[in-house]
Amino acid sequence: MNKKTKVVWITGASSGIGAELARQYSILGVKLILSSRRADILANIKSECSYPENIKILPFDLIDFKSASEIVNSAFKIFGTVDILINNAGVSQRSLIINTKFEVFRKLIEINYLGHVAISNAILPYFIGQGGGTYVIISSVMGKYSSPYRSGYAAAKHALHGFFDSLRMEHQKDNIFVTIVCPGFVNTPISKNSLTGDGSPLGKYDKANASGLPVEFLAKKTIQAINQKKWEVSFGGKERMGVYLKRVSNKLLHYIVKNNSVR
Ligand SMILES: NC(=O)c1ccc[n+]([C@@H]2O[C@H](COP(=O)([O-])OP(=O)(O)OC[C@H]3O[C@@H](n4cnc5c(N)ncnc54)[C@H](OP(=O)(O)O)[C@@H]3O)[C@@H](O)[C@H]2O)c1
């Protein structure tokens, strides 16, 4: 852990990757702010952590864009600073474009992209004012290439890269760092809440996620990448190769992903 790191704010901390980042950061003795919509589950995660006395919960809905400034203000009031904001909350998709209502695409963009932009934009003056800060974005390999059944999700993740690559360029001078993490399949309940074409959750676990990276491994590698101030990292199984293949042969990647049975 970087000695200067004092306060880490994690969104989507009630489940999966966010909850595991909270557990691992807590062992390191840092102060944590945990956010998501469900206050009761956040309280459970807090109680499982090594030093619950160093942890505060700040529940909010990412798509409540109008409250972003107020939420950031509340976050800063808790410990007087935020050193690292981990934009982790998200919802995936399991539907073909032809079967997907427009409202579902809107929701995927609102949660996975605009919600993070709202909070990140609101925190920027605070980061500049305190002499620096770190944004961590939990993107996906779907932020680097696309796949059937993930159109709106992949679009939102691609958009994160566009936004945060610009932010890094504009604010490197302000001692602001951006680490973008692109996981492949990770063993979390993400598929359960994934949106289907009519907006209802899939409601079941995917085999691909169940046999994906252990969430403990992903969280450990993410914390390492943040400490090393990496700009962008990807972790995963063979799906990670798509990130490199896209650079070499987009057409070959197209045929491999199109014909893959993993959905
Ligand atoms: N698991 C994977 O295979 C995988 C792969 C690549 C990337 N990722 C990315 O990793 C991140 C975490 O995913 P995960 O696998 O840990 O999924 P997860 O277990 O389903 O957790 C998702 C988190 O997002 C929060 N969330 C969802 N909608 C929200 C909203 N409107 N406002 C605030 N919080 C909201 C949920 O909390 P509440 O329900 O309490 O609000 C929950 O804490 C996501 O960005 C995902 O896209 C995951």
Side-chain angles (χ1 to χ4, degrees):
M1 187 77 243
N2 184 325
K3 272 187 195 151
K4 280 185 182 165
T5 298
K6 296 184 215 112
V7 181
V8 178
W9 181 11
I10 306 170
T11 70
S14 63
S15 177
I17 295 170
E20 183 57 25
L21 283 169
R23 289 184 200 104
Q24 294 195 17
Y25 264 125
S26 180
I27 293 168
L28 299 173
V30 303
K31 291 181 176 147
L32 291 170
I33 303 171
L34 307 184
S35 292
S36 83
R37 291 165 301 180
R38 295 172 297 164
D40 52 337
I41 312 289
L42 289 173
N44 292 344
I45 301 294
K46 171 180 163 170
S47 67
E48 286 167 23
C49 286
S50 305
Y51 300 100
E53 63 277 17
N54 285 346
I55 301 175
K56 299 287 177 200
I57 62 171
L58 179 61
F60 71 94
D61 190 332
L62 261 182
I63 62 173
D64 182 10
F65 309 126
K66 283 195 294 244
S67 303
S69 296
E70 201 184 305
I71 290 156
V72 167
N73 195 22
S74 304
F76 269 78
K77 275 188 182 153
I78 293 175
F79 295 116
T81 183
V82 172
D83 299 290
I84 300 177
L85 166 64
I86 306 187
N87 287 308
N88 164 74
V91 61
S92 192
Q93 176 194 9
R94 297 292 185 275
S95 59
L96 293 171
I97 295 169
I98 189 86
N99 299 326
T100 304
K101 287 184 179 165
F102 174 76
E103 282 310 316
V104 175
F105 292 122
R106 188 202 296 269
K107 202 167 173 187
L108 288 163
I109 285 285
E110 286 185 346
I111 298 174
N112 293 314
Y113 174 62
L114 287 176
H116 298 307
V117 169
I119 292 295
S120 299
N121 200 19
I123 210 172
L124 185 55
Y126 289 82
F127 276 175
I128 295 170
Q130 71 182 11
T134 296
Y135 292 97
V136 179
I137 295 87
I138 308 298
S139 174
S140 166
V141 292
M142 290 290 99
K144 305 300 287 180
Y145 67 95
S146 287
S147 154
Y149 292 85
R150 303 286 195 281
S151 53
Y153 176 74
K157 293 294 191 186
H158 275 69
L160 287 171
H161 288 251
F163 183 86
F164 283 98
D165 282 346
S166 288
L167 191 149
R168 188 192 288 112
M169 288 173 188
E170 292 177 13
H171 292 285
Q172 199 173 34
K173 64 178 168 38
D174 299 312
N175 201 28
I176 286 173
F177 298 93
V178 175
T179 295
I180 306 182
V181 181
C182 303
F185 291 109
V186 184
N187 188 0
T188 75
I190 192 167
S191 65
K192 232 179 136 208
N193 294 321
S194 294
L195 301 182
T196 61
D198 64 5
S200 59
L202 183 70
K204 58 182 185 192
Y205 290 91
D206 269 356
K207 261 195 209 157
N209 283 104
S211 55
L213 287 181
V215 70
E216 296 81 3
F217 174 84
L218 194 272
K220 186 173 160 219
K221 298 302 267 184
T222 296
I223 292 172
Q224 274 173 10
I226 297 167
N227 289 343
Q228 291 166 1
K229 298 193 185 313
K230 298 268 188 189
W231 285 18
E232 188 175 301
V233 285
S234 61
F235 305 110
K238 64 181 184 334
E239 70 280 4
R240 182 176 171 227
M241 297 317 294
V243 176
Y244 304 101
L245 188 53
K246 170 124 189 194
R247 294 180 200 156
V248 181
S249 173
N250 201 8
K251 278 193 177 168
L252 180 57
L253 177 68
H254 167 92
Y255 287 109
I256 291 172
V257 178
K258 183 168 85 78
N259 296 325
N260 198 316
S261 59
V262 176
R263 293 294 174 244

